């Protein structure tokens, strides 16, 4: 019984190291192909539009409502200690440092990570990836590098827009529901605005963009076993990207705001 | 007249497999495949399902790395070649996949012209012209050129796949089960197309199939794969005369004989 347990633990550990190693090699290969020609401009442009433009409504809505709810909750909490004035500051910090990047990351992981895993997975099981190789086109350059590069570039843009909308959400609730003075609210927000808050959020966004696209591509690229395999790849891509986003969010916060 | 006597050059094989082995986990798929294919020759590998035909093809194409043995194309080992060398070598190779493997994000002519557009950086107009020529060669009109692969029938997909395989005028073409899933008439049309395109290009061809009528039509030479090894090679004429019990059973399509199907899952 004890040996069985040790056996199982060993197997799990070995599997973990194997998967981490494979992902590491995949990531390194992807980075290499991002910077070494030939580049496929059209494929890259398509991904920029797919990730950046088409994710905009989802990210905009989630960050707007996140900003609104933070304003509401901060008020109910802070009013008890007569610190309602801090609402604008809390909204600003919460949105730019945490909410916009994490919400946008999770939303894009659901939208883009899943789509990438499903698309590449289907290409794998229908031999389209093999066909690319026989047409002397490196799948890392044609399929993966454009997706990862577009993810790293577009996520900060999305989060920047999310920052603005999140703060707007806070303003709407602050001014129209909680009846703060509009000018004071805006002045406070502007006064407390620190470049570091924005920069840290955008850096997180770029890292999350890398995680989402890498997990989507990795799971799709190595999917096997027909329709079921593609389904599994899609689930794994979204779940692993979401978990990694939350883990890296904590690590990056530690690094940026070492308290 | 010794002066005029030609020194007979030994013919160098275009594709050479020596001792190629491949296993997946504990399952031994190929256990020492030896095969030589000479320039301009059309070889067909026959064998039952699960005998390793596709794995052999993938090893030759470099999509799988053999555990042991060597695969040489023009004397170059594809597995040991540098990326640039491998890509140059692959540029001379065309491949028709079993399901067509057409890119569903591109329309028919963009599929055919893929290599011309992406690798040779040809202008779209010029690439389209060549694609239309190749499509005409496989009996498809210009109207079909704008259609997306999802809207094509199985036979048309094969034709487009064939047009894509010959778009860059390769000197080696591989065919993976070219007639599987097609009706007998369409199978014969595809067989004819394969014979004519290979002849026109003067290419070396390797086909894997379990369709004997297809094999008879396409092959200059037939090789039979059984239990991970080439157990017989010969011409179509020799195929009918052979007393090899495995080949006879396969050609006759009989359940009785030395080849026993493993019915266990």
């Amino acid at each position: 019984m004890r040996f069985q347990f040790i056996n199982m633990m060993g197997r799990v550990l070995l599997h973990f190291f194997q998967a981490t190693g494979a992902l590491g090699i995949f990531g390194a290969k992807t980075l290499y192909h991002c910077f070494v020609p030939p580049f496929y401009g059209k494929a890259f442009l398509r991904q920029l539009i797919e990730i950046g433009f088409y994710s905009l409504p989802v990210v905009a809505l989630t960050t707007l409502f996140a900003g609104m709810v933070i304003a509401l909750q901060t008020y109910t909490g802070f009013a008890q200690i007569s610190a309602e004035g801090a609402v604008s500051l809390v909204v600003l910090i919460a949105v730019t440092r945490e909410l916009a990047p994490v919400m946008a990351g999770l939303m894009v992981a659901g939208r883009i990570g899943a789509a990438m895993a499903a698309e590449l997975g289907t290409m794998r099981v229908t031999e389209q990836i093999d066909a690319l190789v026989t047409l002397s086109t490196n799948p890392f350059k044609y399929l993966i590098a454009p997706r990862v590069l577009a993810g790293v570039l577009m996520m900060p843009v999305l989060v920047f827009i999310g920052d603005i909308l999140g703060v707007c959400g806070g303003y709407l609730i602050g001014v129209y529901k909680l009846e703060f003075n509009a000018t004071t609210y805006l002045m406070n927000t502007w006064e407390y605005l620190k470049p570091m808050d924005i920069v840290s959020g955008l850096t997180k966004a770029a890292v999350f963009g890398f995680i989402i696209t890498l997990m989507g591509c990795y799971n799709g690229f190595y999917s096997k076993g027909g329709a079921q395999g593609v389904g599994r790849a899609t689930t794994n891509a979204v779940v692993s990207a979401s978990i990694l986003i939350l883990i890296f969010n904590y690590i990056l916060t530690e690094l940026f705001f070492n308290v | 007249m010794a002066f005029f006597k030609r020194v007979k050059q030994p013919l160098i094989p275009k594709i050479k497999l020596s001792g190629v082995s491949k296993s997946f986990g504990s399952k031994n798929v190929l256990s020492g495949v030896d095969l030589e294919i000479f320039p301009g020759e059309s070889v067909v590998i026959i064998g039952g399902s699960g005998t390793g035909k596709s794995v052999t093809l993938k090893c030759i194409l470099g999509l799988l790395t053999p555990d042991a043995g060597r695969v040489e194309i023009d004397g170059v080992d594809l597995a040991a070649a540098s990326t640039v060398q491998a890509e140059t070598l692959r540029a001379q190779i065309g491949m028709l996949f079993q399901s067509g493997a057409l890119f569903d994000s591109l329309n028919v002519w963009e599929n055919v012209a893929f290599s011309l557009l992406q690798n040779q950086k040809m202008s779209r107009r010029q690439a389209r012209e060549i694609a239309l020529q190749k499509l005409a060669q496989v009996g498809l009109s210009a109207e079909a050129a704008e259609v997306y692969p999802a809207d094509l029938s199985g036979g048309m997909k094969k034709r487009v796949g064939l047009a894509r395989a010959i778009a860059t005028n390769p000197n080696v073409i591989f065919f993976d089960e070219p007639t599987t899933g097609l009706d007998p008439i369409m199978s014969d049309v595809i067989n004819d197309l394969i014979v004519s395109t290979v002849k026109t290009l003067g290419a070396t061809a390797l086909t894997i199939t379990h369709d004997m009528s297809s094999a008879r039509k396409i092959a200059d030479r037939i090789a039979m794969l059984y239990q991970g090894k080439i157990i017989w090679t010969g011409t179509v004429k020799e195929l009918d005369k052979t007393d090899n019990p495995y080949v006879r059973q396969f050609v006759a399509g009989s359940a009785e004989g030395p080849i026993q199907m493993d019915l266990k899952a």
Side-chain angles (χ1 to χ4, degrees):
Chain A
M1 194 64 194
R2 190 181 298 160
F3 280 117
Q4 247 177 5
F5 179 71
I6 294 171
N7 239 335
M8 196 192 72
M9 287 299 290
R11 223 180 0 249
V12 169
L13 216 63
L14 275 178
H15 185 76
F16 173 76
F17 284 128
Q18 195 186 13
T20 317
L23 182 64
I25 292 169
F26 187 85
K29 260 172 117 172
T30 303
L31 282 179
Y32 171 80
H33 288 292
C34 281
F35 298 106
V36 178
F39 303 114
Y40 294 97
K42 222 177 140 191
F44 175 59
L45 206 68
R46 213 187 109 207
Q47 292 306 322
L48 281 183
I49 295 169
E50 194 63 45
I51 299 173
F53 186 70
Y54 290 120
S55 301
L56 205 51
V58 185
V59 172
L61 273 175
T62 42
T63 46
L64 181 75
F65 279 97
M68 284 162 69
V69 87
I70 277 291
L72 213 54
Q73 287 289 25
T74 319
Y75 180 79
T76 51
F78 281 27
Q80 293 173 27
I81 50 164
S82 310
E84 304 95 321
V87 169
S88 60
L89 169 69
V90 174
V91 167
L92 183 71
I93 288 183
V95 167
T96 54
R97 287 188 187 184
E98 301 294 335
L99 283 178
V102 172
M103 294 291 245
L106 294 177
M107 284 297 139
V108 175
R111 225 188 77 82
I112 297 296
M116 278 180 185
E119 191 182 352
L120 294 190
T122 309
M123 287 186 80
R124 166 64 73 197
V125 298
T126 55
E127 294 185 306
Q128 291 180 48
I129 293 181
D130 287 346
L132 264 185
V133 177
T134 64
L135 291 166
S136 0
T137 306
N138 190 322
F140 272 89
K141 284 198 197 310
Y142 184 74
L143 294 174
I144 295 163
R147 283 170 166 76
V148 173
L149 265 182
V152 171
L153 286 178
M154 287 323 285
M155 269 301 285
V157 177
L158 285 171
V159 167
F160 188 70
I161 296 168
D163 282 349
I164 296 170
L165 284 167
V167 171
C168 278
Y171 170 87
L172 287 177
I173 293 298
V175 172
Y176 294 103
K177 191 170 166 61
L178 308 175
E179 293 172 350
F180 286 128
N181 179 287
T183 323
T184 323
Y185 190 97
L186 279 180
M187 288 287 284
N188 274 344
T189 305
W190 186 248
E191 202 179 314
Y192 291 128
L193 184 69
K194 283 197 203 102
M196 189 56 182
D197 295 337
I198 307 281
V199 170
S200 71
L202 298 189
T203 313
K204 281 179 177 181
V207 174
F208 296 165
F210 182 73
I211 291 172
I212 294 163
T213 47
L214 192 76
M215 294 319 287
C217 290
Y218 174 77
N219 283 292
F221 196 75
Y222 291 117
S223 75
K224 50 187 163 202
Q228 205 181 18
V230 175
R232 207 177 308 126
T234 312
T235 312
N236 285 347
V238 178
V239 173
S240 55
S242 305
I243 294 171
L244 283 174
I245 282 174
L246 294 174
I247 295 174
F248 273 85
N249 181 49
Y250 179 79
I251 296 173
L252 288 171
T253 305
E254 274 279 357
L255 285 175
F256 276 114
F257 309 101
N258 199 2
V259 253
Chain B
M1 298 294 278
F3 182 73
F4 293 106
K5 218 180 211 171
R6 282 216 181 133
V7 180
K8 204 175 173 192
Q9 291 274 335
L11 205 52
I12 303 166
K14 185 84 186 166
I15 302 166
K16 186 179 175 188
L17 283 86
S18 31
V20 174
S21 299
K22 179 82 190 167
S23 20
F24 297 97
S26 58
K27 195 174 185 317
N28 226 349
V29 180
L30 301 182
S31 36
V33 172
D34 297 300
L35 185 67
E36 288 186 342
I37 302 165
F38 295 97
E41 193 183 23
S42 173
V43 171
V44 172
I45 299 179
I46 56 171
S49 311
T51 46
K53 298 192 300 290
S54 293
V55 175
T56 309
L57 200 57
K58 285 189 174 168
C59 283
I60 301 175
L61 281 165
L63 295 172
L64 288 174
T65 315
D67 299 334
R70 277 169 73 88
V71 177
E72 289 171 24
I73 300 179
D74 280 334
V76 180
D77 186 356
L78 206 57
S82 67
T83 320
V84 179
Q85 208 176 7
E87 272 174 20
T88 325
L89 213 58
R90 281 207 188 95
Q92 308 170 31
I93 296 174
M95 164 90 187
L96 171 63
F97 285 85
Q98 191 176 340
S99 57
L102 302 173
F103 305 124
D104 33 33
S105 56
L106 305 175
N107 67 23
V108 163
W109 83 260
E110 286 169 332
N111 260 288
V112 175
F114 187 86
S115 212
L116 307 173
L117 288 168
Q118 303 298 346
N119 302 323
Q120 299 183 15
K121 304 286 173 206
M122 203 178 265
S123 73
R124 279 179 75 79
R125 236 181 78 189
Q126 207 181 349
R128 190 173 187 274
E129 234 165 73
I130 295 176
L132 290 181
Q133 273 174 26
K134 298 290 175 188
L135 284 169
Q137 218 170 317
V138 298
L140 288 175
S141 64
E143 282 161 27
E146 305 295 335
V147 177
Y148 279 83
D151 300 323
L152 298 177
S153 68
M156 278 172 94
K157 275 184 193 162
K158 287 264 159 96
R159 289 188 198 212
V160 177
L162 182 59
R164 185 175 70 180
I166 59 171
T168 52
N169 299 326
N171 52 38
V172 181
I173 314 181
F174 296 105
F175 300 99
D176 183 2
E177 310 261 1
T179 55
T180 301
L182 300 180
D183 67 75
I185 299 169
M186 185 51 85
S187 297
D188 205 47
V189 171
I190 296 287
N191 287 337
D192 284 340
L193 277 175
I194 288 174
V195 173
S196 67
T197 44
V198 168
K199 268 212 184 104
T200 319
L201 289 171
T204 309
L206 175 66
T207 309
I208 58 171
T209 187
H210 52 244
D211 176 357
M212 283 315 297
S213 56
S214 174
R216 283 173 195 281
K217 196 143 197 180
I218 299 171
D220 292 329
R221 199 151 58 91
I222 293 178
M224 174 144 172
L225 192 65
Y226 180 65
Q227 290 192 334
K229 274 187 176 148
I230 300 285
I231 56 159
W232 183 87
T233 54
T235 60
V236 177
K237 271 185 192 164
E238 287 165 346
L239 183 77
D240 295 321
K241 290 180 196 153
T242 181
D243 50 7
N244 185 314
Y246 295 92
V247 179
R248 285 172 70 100
Q249 186 193 351
F250 192 81
V251 172
S254 161
E256 303 294 320
I259 305 174
Q260 290 301 316
M261 286 289 161
D262 195 5
L263 294 177
K264 279 180 286 180

